[in-house]
Amino acid sequence: MLQPAAAPRHSAPVSHAEMANAIRALAMDAVQAANSGHPGMPMGMADVATVLFSRFLKFDPQTPTWPDRDRFVLSAGHGSMLIYALLYLTGYKDMTLDELKRFRQIGARTAGHPEFGHAGGIETTTGPLGQGIATAVGMALAERAMAAQFDPKLVDHYTYVIAGDGCLMEGISHEAISMAGHLKLNKLIVLWDDNQISIDGPTSLSVSDDQLKRFQASGWATIAVDGHDPEAVAAAIAAAQKSDKPSLIACRTVIGFGAPTKAGTSATHGSPLGADEIKGAREKLGWPHAPFEIPDAILKAWRDVGAAGAAKQATWGKLHDALPAAQRAEWDRRIKGELPADFAKTISAYKQKLATDKPKWATRKSSQMALEVINPVVPETLGGSADLTGSNNTKTAGLNPVKPGDYSGRYIYYGVREHGMAAAMNGIALHGGLIPYGGTFLVFTDYCRPSIRLSALMEQRVIYVMTHDSIGLGEDGPTHQPVEHLAALRSIPNLLVLRPADAVETAEAWQVALTQSHRPSVLALTRQDLPAVRVTHTEENLVAKGGYELLAAEGGAAKVTLLATGSEIAIAVTARDLLQKDGVPTRVVSMPSFELFNGQDEAYQEKTLGPGTVRIAVEAGVRQGWDRYLGIKGGFVGMSSFGASGPYEQLYKHFGITPEAVAAAAKQRL
């Protein structure tokens, strides 16, 4: 258990209660004005947040992206008015009083849940409960990794989380706290809003966990305090900062603190308090001011809190400027998210070698071999796998593992924690300076999907290495064969899905994924070996086009266009041979990425798809998503059911995904 320590005291002439009540008033006023929102959590955690921001948090509102700022994550994102009030009060330029008055309105920075990119000081998008605390684990890990790779004085900050009961109920929290405890991420401090209320009512309706014992069992330091006693909260945070473990501070609070009849009840959780209740709260809190009115003295006290960070930021700036020139340039490059200058040249040389050697590798193997080339020249990659390292082929020579207390490695053994891995990678990307990639089977994107969706929503460069991408994985059977997953992933806005066909396309797919600084990528990779189809070197990255003509028709104008991805390119190539033998001029188009192809101009798309030709798509997945490319006479050869267990060669025949079936489908439509 943590033992309270002496904590610095706030010396402003305005009282702690007045500063905390400013948060409460803004929260209940904004929710009331919007007639929508969650006032109870901000009112209950106002004391804790006031202590954290005024006494501990290292931040500078004038430089919101200062790399060595402390990270603050509001995991209980429904209480968004807490962070919006804090950002306004401490002086973030883009969080004005007018923005608070427009809470939950279209175009406002004050969305219903905190959205990354809407305003400075919002470190991550939180809304789905548990995501914030899990993302924060990645931030804390990134802080330790960057400190190990650079100067620990240059990277020395904490990650603070305010989490609610719902965050700790969600399954992802179990994965996250286990990971953090194992890795001894001692600069991660979670402040739990222990108000014992959820939407349905008292938490006793659904849970009876002893959270302190749970966190202790996962290797955390813990302490329970009165969340409305600022000195107790401050002492607990001070002790947590000195711990050699991540820390949980259970802050017993009253939801809707100050509301005369609704405090402590679920009535304050997700609904406006109402005019009468707000009037009573103002009287009870001793806050006689009009809606959205913050007295000058109280606002100045908060602005002084915000201004205090400028000196710390300036001191850090001097440390940064004093770095050796080469190290400073490397730091700046990585913080900007730019790739090394020789990256493109390295990939080009590697592609030339592959075109000569023509390796017949599974694309999971091709991915590993590409990473063997990439990882030495892109030192910011931080790899990993959810207990499938040998299957995903995500570890390369020279990547030492990240260990508890030793964060100098570049490979993370995430364990069987697909959801936690994906969320942690979001945190690593958001932190800056590192590019995370992590692997599991494509079918388990079902477990990762909420975090993948947030990667796309937040426009983060996170690379998901998803192997065993079809019925081609064989004997593990339908539970592991992801027939619908390509279609499901392609439906996520701003997510790039890449399904390469051979070693060259895989290298190009990696190049594309790494250059996508504002979107995540999924690499869908095979278990089974594939023939080389890109046997002539091209300086241009053809995968970057999304779709391109791999083989032209022979013997006249093309009558058939075969469209395929990944392992089915080989089937399309053989089907083309059959059709050409029968006198049907046929071309093959590789379509490694729908998203990239859709981004090409209309003329290129039309030319590539083959106007006037019969189009047949072949993919060992469901049809959804293909019809837009097939035209009136188009056909599809693929899956319309779940898979089965058996050798993959037999499965392709069993489900009719064969060159003969593709050729027959084309002939039927001529």
Side-chain angles (χ1 to χ4, degrees):
M1 296 284 286
L2 285 171
Q3 296 299 316
R9 296 182 61 86
H10 181 65
S11 58
V14 172
S15 71
H16 164 89
E18 289 174 307
M19 295 179 73
N21 286 341
I23 297 173
R24 294 185 173 104
L26 289 172
M28 62 185 182
D29 289 342
V31 172
Q32 187 68 22
N35 196 29
S36 174
H38 301 72
M41 182 273 193
M43 295 174 73
M45 283 296 279
D47 288 310
V48 174
T50 299
V51 171
L52 176 62
F53 271 68
S54 66
R55 304 195 195 186
F56 295 95
L57 197 70
K58 182 173 65 172
F59 68 107
D60 179 11
Q62 305 308 310
T63 315
T65 58
W66 165 32
D68 200 38
R69 68 194 181 279
D70 288 339
R71 304 312 198 259
F72 171 66
V73 174
L74 183 65
S75 188
H78 55 275
S80 56
M81 268 309 303
L82 178 71
I83 190 169
Y84 299 151
L86 287 162
L87 296 180
Y88 163 68
L89 291 168
T90 55
Y92 282 80
K93 292 180 180 179
D94 51 7
M95 190 57 69
T96 64
L97 194 60
D98 283 342
E99 290 290 347
L100 270 58
K101 292 178 180 178
R102 296 174 60 223
F103 179 55
R104 288 190 163 219
Q105 304 309 301
I106 294 175
R109 299 183 188 277
T110 47
H113 294 81
E115 301 287 347
F116 175 77
H118 280 208
I122 300 175
E123 300 285 2
T124 183
T125 296
T126 55
L129 292 178
Q131 281 286 340
I133 188 173
T135 302
V137 171
M139 293 178 177
L141 177 55
E143 188 275 341
R144 293 289 76 202
M146 289 290 282
Q149 294 181 23
F150 289 91
D151 186 336
K153 295 179 182 178
L154 194 68
V155 188
D156 183 18
H157 53 266
Y158 290 90
T159 301
Y160 295 97
V161 181
I162 286 182
D165 290 296
C167 295
L168 302 191
M169 290 185 207
E170 288 285 1
I172 191 173
S173 74
H174 296 261
E175 297 182 24
I177 69 167
S178 174
M179 192 186 316
H182 170 71
L183 291 173
K184 298 187 184 301
L185 300 177
N186 64 305
K187 302 191 83 172
L188 174 63
I189 299 173
V190 175
L191 300 151
W192 168 33
D193 180 18
D194 181 16
N195 61 33
Q196 300 183 324
I197 293 292
S198 62
I199 291 175
D200 281 349
T203 54
S204 58
L205 292 171
S206 56
V207 293
S208 55
D209 305 22
D210 186 326
Q211 294 289 3
L212 267 65
K213 288 183 179 178
R214 174 190 162 207
F215 275 75
Q216 290 166 16
S218 291
W220 288 56
T222 64
I223 189 171
V225 298
D226 179 350
H228 300 298
D229 180 343
E231 300 311 317
V233 172
I237 295 174
Q241 288 184 333
K242 298 174 183 177
S243 175
D244 61 355
K245 302 175 181 180
S247 297
L248 173 74
I249 302 173
C251 304
R252 179 57 59 84
T253 62
V254 176
I255 191 171
F257 183 92
T261 67
K262 296 182 178 181
T265 73
S266 60
T268 69
H269 186 285
S271 301
L273 295 181
D276 290 343
E277 191 76 6
I278 289 176
K279 180 181 178 182
R282 279 182 150 77
E283 294 173 355
K284 188 170 183 179
L285 294 171
W287 189 268
H289 316 292
F292 296 104
E293 179 184 326
I294 306 297
D296 290 344
I298 297 175
L299 183 59
K300 183 180 184 303
W302 270 115
R303 293 292 163 88
D304 287 346
V305 167
K312 296 177 182 178
Q313 192 277 335
T315 299
W316 181 89
K318 293 177 182 178
L319 181 65
H320 165 268
D321 293 345
L323 290 171
Q327 188 179 30
R328 186 172 66 250
E330 176 66 5
W331 168 271
D332 291 346
R333 178 190 70 77
R334 288 173 58 168
I335 292 299
K336 290 176 183 176
E338 299 173 351
L339 292 171
D342 59 348
F343 173 66
K345 182 179 178 181
T346 299
I347 292 294
S348 179
Y350 177 58
K351 282 171 52 182
Q352 198 159 23
K353 182 178 187 302
L354 291 173
T356 300
D357 294 347
K358 304 175 181 59
K360 297 180 179 180
W361 295 330
T363 50
R364 62 171 177 163
K365 173 68 172 178
S366 296
S367 172
Q368 182 179 41
M369 299 310 292
L371 285 169
E372 292 283 5
V373 173
I374 291 166
N375 282 335
V377 299
V378 186
E380 59 265 42
T381 55
L382 187 61
S385 171
D387 199 50
L388 289 167
T389 295
S391 294
N392 300 146
N393 292 353
T394 41
K395 192 174 186 299
T396 61
L399 289 197
N400 296 319
V402 172
K403 299 177 182 178
D406 179 3
Y407 309 101
S408 60
R410 291 173 55 197
Y411 193 81
I412 303 167
Y413 288 104
Y414 283 104
V416 189
R417 302 187 185 103
E418 295 91 347
H419 199 173
M421 174 184 72
M425 289 199 294
N426 281 341
I428 292 166
L430 287 161
H431 179 276
L434 298 164
I435 301 175
Y437 72 85
T440 184
F441 290 171
L442 184 63
V443 76
F444 298 137
T445 53
D446 283 343
Y447 290 161
C448 303
R449 188 178 177 89
S451 300
I452 293 175
R453 185 174 185 272
L454 287 180
S455 301
L457 183 60
M458 294 188 289
E459 301 182 345
Q460 293 302 299
R461 178 168 46 187
V462 179
I463 302 173
Y464 297 91
V465 183
M466 300 300 178
T467 69
H468 297 58
D469 68 347
S470 73
I471 60 170
L473 66 88
E475 290 84 351
D476 274 346
T479 61
H480 283 54
Q481 292 167 2
V483 297
E484 78 275 29
H485 293 69
L486 288 169
L489 291 166
R490 287 167 178 156
S491 72
I492 299 177
N494 198 47
L495 176 64
L496 190 60
V497 181
L498 298 154
R499 190 168 186 246
D502 70 354
V504 172
E505 279 202 354
T506 303
E508 290 185 339
W510 266 107
Q511 183 178 22
V512 168
L514 286 165
T515 55
Q516 301 292 307
S517 60
H518 291 91
R519 72 196 304 186
S521 300
V522 170
L523 273 64
L525 307 171
T526 69
R527 176 180 183 267
Q528 73 272 30
D529 290 340
L530 303 177
V533 295
R534 287 278 298 280
V535 295
T536 302
H537 176 65
T538 59
E539 191 69 25
E540 184 180 16
N541 185 320
L542 297 181
V543 165
K545 292 178 175 293
Y548 64 94
E549 184 178 81
L550 176 67
L551 293 173
E554 298 176 357
K559 293 184 178 180
V560 173
T561 297
L562 303 180
L563 310 167
T565 71
S567 47
E568 286 69 69
I569 284 288
I571 292 174
V573 168
T574 303
R576 172 187 177 272
D577 293 341
L578 295 175
L579 288 164
Q580 287 283 163
K581 185 178 179 181
D582 289 343
V584 181
T586 301
R587 51 199 292 277
V588 174
V589 171
S590 179
M591 293 279 290
S593 172
F594 287 11
E595 299 80 21
L596 292 174
F597 185 69
N598 295 342
Q600 305 301 314
D601 63 63
E602 186 175 343
Y604 177 82
Q605 291 183 40
E606 184 178 0
K607 179 182 177 182
T608 302
L609 293 174
T613 61
V614 168
R615 301 172 196 170
I616 305 296
V618 53
E619 188 171 65
V622 297
R623 180 170 181 150
Q624 279 89 332
W626 276 103
D627 285 286
R628 67 179 298 177
Y629 307 122
L630 300 182
I632 297 174
K633 296 194 297 182
F636 178 77
V637 176
M639 298 295 293
S640 59
S641 68
F642 291 112
S645 180
Y648 79 89
E649 301 92 341
Q650 296 178 24
L651 289 173
Y652 272 89
K653 293 178 182 178
H654 176 75
F655 288 105
I657 307 174
T658 64
E660 292 77 14
V662 173
K667 288 179 180 179
Q668 288 172 7
R669 290 165 173 80
L670 286 172

